[in-house]
Amino acid sequence: MEDTLTVWSERYLDHLAVERGLSRNTLAAYRRDLRRYIAFCKQRDVAAPRDVDESTIRSFVASISASTWGEEEHAYSARSVARALSSVRSFHRFLLREGGSDQDPSAAVVQPKLPRSLPHPLPVDDVSRLLEATDTSSLVGLRDRAILEVLYGAGLRISELVGLDVDDVDLEEGFVRVLGKGGKEREVPLGAFGRDAVTAYLTRARPAFSSKASRSALFLNQRGGRLTRQSCTRLLAASVQAAGIERRVTLHTLRHSFATHLLEGGADVRVVQELLGHASVATTQIYTLVTRDHLREVYYTSHPRARRGATGGG
């Protein structure tokens, strides 16, 4: 029984949690993918890693592509299929490395082609409206303003923001110490607006929210506990509505906007990579495509000879 896929999958998930330090949400995604994969294998009477072959994995990928979810029977996207295959591949590489199998049956399985999805940042004016829409006359408003200023001003992921402790923010020097993906630490500058908002929150709001349960958490709910990502989603939605912004805005939109506005302002892509905590510059370069689109739009709108039919000067 020790060689079953189920036992090895638990060892692999332990490895991801302990040695690679993946976040709770990422671990949950791996667990869902592997449970589905192992259930599929059991249906085909494949119980041990050495019994898995390339056709097993190809059939698993095909089964996801052909299945649906929800009452309205939505088809799984190419991105969801690709993520599931990626989880299975990582699992089989672990098996090969740890001696659970003598081959990697996933190596030759082709990854589904993904459509290029560009970030959708907010214009600078919309960001300003969003940040100024919070009612800073209340303690909750002071907190919400500080959260939004840090998300946009430092380009943090929401998991990074809710994990911040008070000591992670150096208001005198203007830096935030962030624990990013894979447990990698980085320091990100925090500008004047962000520092002012956090100072107001720490001075007036956090002491009112604080309790024995607060410990060192920076952002607190009204009961004194560490604020959750769900609470941040709700406060963002309220600010979007108050600002009169009609398009869809997520917490990650502020991170997209942070990166795009830096590049539009002339920042080097490798500097932006460091600020975002991307392991590869290729991940950051997706934002350069957005700024090129913006430059092209400005050019065609502004240059007198950018379009046919334009009249030249004398």
Side-chain angles (χ1 to χ4, degrees):
M1 289 296 293
E2 285 300 310
D3 287 333
T4 65
L5 285 167
T6 301
V7 170
W8 274 104
S9 71
E10 290 303 320
R11 291 180 191 171
Y12 176 56
L13 290 167
D14 288 342
H15 161 77
L16 294 179
V18 176
E19 296 187 32
R20 289 185 53 187
L22 298 188
S23 71
R24 184 184 304 172
N25 291 328
T26 304
L27 281 171
Y30 272 103
R31 187 178 296 277
R32 284 194 302 271
D33 291 337
L34 290 178
R35 280 180 177 170
R36 182 169 188 166
Y37 171 60
I38 291 167
F40 175 84
C41 288
K42 285 181 178 178
Q43 289 175 353
R44 296 169 66 93
D45 295 324
V46 176
R50 288 181 172 84
D51 296 333
V52 178
D53 57 20
E54 187 179 320
S55 67
T56 305
I57 298 174
R58 289 186 187 278
S59 298
F60 170 67
V61 172
S63 74
I64 300 177
S65 301
S67 61
T68 58
W69 60 274
E71 293 182 1
E72 297 182 8
E73 298 188 345
H74 299 285
Y76 282 92
S77 67
R79 192 169 299 280
S80 296
V81 177
R83 190 205 64 213
L85 176 56
S86 178
S87 298
V88 170
R89 277 180 163 164
S90 298
F91 176 49
H92 278 284
R93 284 196 293 268
F94 173 80
L95 286 168
L96 185 62
R97 188 169 64 249
E98 298 296 318
S101 179
D102 55 6
Q103 61 171 338
D104 179 2
S106 69
V109 179
V110 178
Q111 188 87 354
K113 286 189 176 180
L114 296 177
R116 174 170 280 176
S117 178
L118 294 179
H120 297 287
L122 286 171
V124 174
D125 288 347
D126 280 1
V127 173
S128 297
R129 285 166 51 205
L130 174 64
L131 296 174
E132 292 166 8
T134 52
D135 179 12
T136 53
S137 65
S138 71
L139 297 179
V140 169
L142 283 172
R143 181 202 62 190
D144 295 354
R145 177 66 173 268
I147 287 170
L148 296 176
E149 288 281 5
V150 173
L151 281 172
Y152 174 66
L156 303 192
R157 302 176 179 95
I158 185 56
S159 58
E160 295 170 344
L161 178 120
V162 297
L164 288 177
D165 290 334
V166 173
D167 290 344
D168 290 330
V169 182
D170 186 337
L171 293 172
E172 189 172 327
E173 295 294 327
F175 275 91
V176 181
R177 185 171 62 248
V178 181
L179 193 64
K181 285 187 175 180
K184 293 181 180 178
E185 190 176 287
R186 70 184 190 280
E187 286 193 343
V188 185
L190 184 65
F193 287 96
R195 293 201 304 272
D196 289 347
V198 173
T199 299
Y201 163 71
L202 287 174
T203 304
R204 297 164 54 193
R206 191 182 184 280
F209 296 153
S210 184
S211 69
K212 289 182 180 179
S214 304
R215 298 191 180 184
S216 58
L218 176 59
F219 290 115
L220 306 176
N221 60 36
Q222 294 181 70
R223 297 180 302 279
R226 186 182 292 271
L227 204 67
T228 65
R229 62 191 301 146
Q230 290 80 9
S231 295
C232 291
T233 298
R234 288 193 291 271
L235 73 86
L236 174 66
S239 295
V240 169
Q241 185 175 13
I245 298 171
E246 295 183 356
R247 57 158 285 186
R248 181 172 180 264
V249 180
T250 68
L251 293 164
H252 216 66
T253 302
L254 294 177
R255 181 169 159 90
H256 291 325
S257 304
F258 165 85
T260 304
H261 297 164
L262 280 172
L263 290 167
E264 287 179 349
D268 183 87
V269 68
R270 291 199 177 272
V271 172
V272 178
Q273 175 196 356
E274 291 294 325
L275 293 174
L276 291 173
H278 286 161
S280 169
V281 73
T283 308
T284 316
Q285 283 173 333
I286 191 73
Y287 293 104
T288 65
L289 299 177
V290 178
T291 57
R292 282 192 200 124
D293 286 345
H294 174 70
L295 290 172
R296 188 181 297 113
E297 180 183 342
V298 170
Y299 171 76
Y300 278 109
T301 303
S302 308
H303 197 282
R305 295 185 67 79
R307 300 182 185 277
R308 289 188 180 87
T311 56

